[in-house]
């Protein structure tokens, strides 16, 4: 947003496309809508595809975007858990399941009701470890078929597939 002299432009025009109205904003008495930049690329959280679960809330979107922002910085398996826009745990490992366990044990109490993002395919082993935990949203670039079968029993959990091509 700089002009030819290296300074900042006098005007800044941004274009957004509305994705959806939200049930409420950060608090139940507030109205909210979800927008994305009109030129956002495939690696943008707003271009994720919801595979399962209830409609996303404002807080889900805020936490999911924060978790996605963390894990996309890593090339090895990485999992981040966010709640109220704060990391509860970030873990790396040799597998997605190991990275998730490392992230979970960072603060298992705060992880309750949080949002999980993985930068690698979500595996059946990771789903088995997650199964007895309350998680609002799970984000990954892909999912093993068996992993999704396990998670189908958690019908309200939102599952999002996201493209990591930045």
């Amino acid at each position: 947003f700089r002009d030819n002299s290296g300074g900042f432009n006098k005007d800044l025009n941004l274009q957004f496309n509305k994705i959806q109205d939200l049930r409420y904003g950060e608090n139940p008495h507030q109205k909210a809508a979800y927008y994305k930049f009109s030129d956002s690329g495939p690696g943008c959280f707003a271009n994720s595809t919801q595979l399962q679960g209830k409609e996303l809330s404002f807080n889900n979107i805020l936490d999911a975007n924060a978790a996605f922002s963390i894990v996309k910085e890593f090339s090895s398996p990485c999992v981040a858990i966010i709640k109220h826009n704060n990391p509860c745990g970030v873990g790396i490992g040799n597998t997605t399941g190991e990275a998730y366990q490392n992230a979970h044990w960072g603060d298992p109490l705060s992880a309750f009701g949080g949002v999980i993002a993985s930068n690698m395919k979500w595996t059946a082993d990771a789903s088995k470890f997650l199964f007895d935990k309350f998680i609002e949203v799970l984000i990954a670039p892909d999912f093993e078929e068996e992993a999704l079968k396990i998670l189908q029993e958690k019908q309200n959990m939102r599952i999002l597939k996201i493209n990591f091509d930045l």
Side-chain angles (χ1 to χ4, degrees):
F1 309 122
R2 293 185 178 255
D3 62 19
N4 293 334
S5 69
F8 290 99
N9 291 339
K10 180 181 172 198
D11 297 310
L12 176 64
N13 296 305
L14 303 173
Q15 181 143 4
F16 296 88
N17 297 328
K18 185 169 153 183
I19 297 173
Q20 68 188 62
D21 286 318
L22 300 174
R23 289 183 303 156
Y24 57 88
E26 187 171 6
N27 297 298
H29 69 281
Q30 298 169 319
K31 292 185 181 264
Y34 185 26
Y35 290 84
K36 69 176 181 175
F37 283 105
S38 58
D39 61 350
S40 62
C44 172
F45 175 77
N47 289 324
S48 61
T49 302
Q50 188 167 346
L51 304 178
Q52 167 183 307
K54 300 186 294 187
E55 187 176 286
L56 292 167
S57 72
F58 174 89
N59 292 319
N60 294 152
I61 293 165
L62 186 67
D63 288 350
N65 193 50
F68 173 63
S69 295
I70 292 171
V71 299
K72 70 182 182 180
E73 297 296 322
F74 291 82
S75 56
S76 61
C78 179
V79 172
I81 306 170
I82 302 288
K83 185 168 178 188
H84 301 304
N85 211 27
N86 289 296
C88 303
V90 177
I92 56 172
N94 294 316
T95 66
T96 302
E98 184 180 325
Y100 173 40
Q101 288 183 38
N102 289 338
H104 175 78
W105 293 119
D107 187 350
L109 186 60
S110 294
F112 181 84
V115 170
I116 296 174
S118 171
N119 66 345
M120 301 287 175
K121 181 185 274 191
W122 194 258
T123 62
D125 286 344
S127 287
K128 289 174 186 171
F129 184 73
L130 179 146
F131 193 77
D132 64 344
K133 295 157 186 65
F134 174 57
I135 299 297
E136 291 277 349
V137 181
L138 172 61
I139 308 155
D142 203 1
F143 295 84
E144 289 180 356
E145 190 174 321
E146 185 182 347
L148 286 175
K149 283 182 183 176
I150 293 166
L151 297 173
Q152 283 176 346
E153 292 189 43
K154 296 175 140 310
Q155 294 177 5
N156 288 333
M157 186 172 67
R158 300 145 184 102
I159 298 177
L160 283 78
K161 185 175 180 178
I162 190 162
N163 186 341
F164 272 70
D165 295 333
L166 306 174

